[in-house]
Amino acid sequence: LLGTLILSPLGDLLGRRPMFRVTAAVIAFFGVATCFSRTYWQLLLCRFFVGFGVGGLTVPFDTLSEFLPTASRGRNLLYIEFFWTFGTLSVPLKTNHGQ
């Protein structure tokens, strides 16, 4: 929520492409930093910034919606949301199944 509130207006102000790069860099950096966390607070801080970066993923979603044909825009965006949710929910199931 915080990432969306801050990064989306910056995307309008500075441009979507630079904000997409910032968002991707924040997610990648703090995602990798998560595995090097030694304390609970380090882990919490890294995961907070990953979540902050994920909040900025509305910027490329908006950009994609602008380039889709009007007739199929709703259907294609619905597919993206459905499969994103499906993938997010299937990861814990796959992880738990491996144990």
Side-chain angles (χ1 to χ4, degrees), residues 2-53:
L2 189 60
T4 301
L5 292 173
I6 293 172
L7 295 174
S8 292
L10 283 176
D12 292 336
L13 183 66
L14 302 174
R16 292 190 177 130
R17 184 176 291 173
M19 288 315 300
F20 177 68
R21 289 180 178 155
V22 167
T23 298
V26 166
I27 294 170
F29 178 79
F30 286 103
V32 171
T34 297
C35 70
F36 295 108
S37 299
R38 296 195 174 268
T39 67
Y40 172 75
W41 295 108
Q42 288 174 347
L43 177 68
L44 194 66
L45 186 68
C46 287
R47 297 313 294 168
F48 171 81
F49 280 110
V50 168
F52 182 83

Side-chain angles (χ1 to χ4, degrees), residues 9 13 17 22 28 46-47 50 54 56 62 64 83 85 94 96:
L13 183 66
R17 184 176 291 173
V22 167
C46 287
R47 297 313 294 168
V50 168
V54 168
D62 292 340
L64 174 65
F83 286 109
T85 304
K94 178 66 176 162
N96 193 24

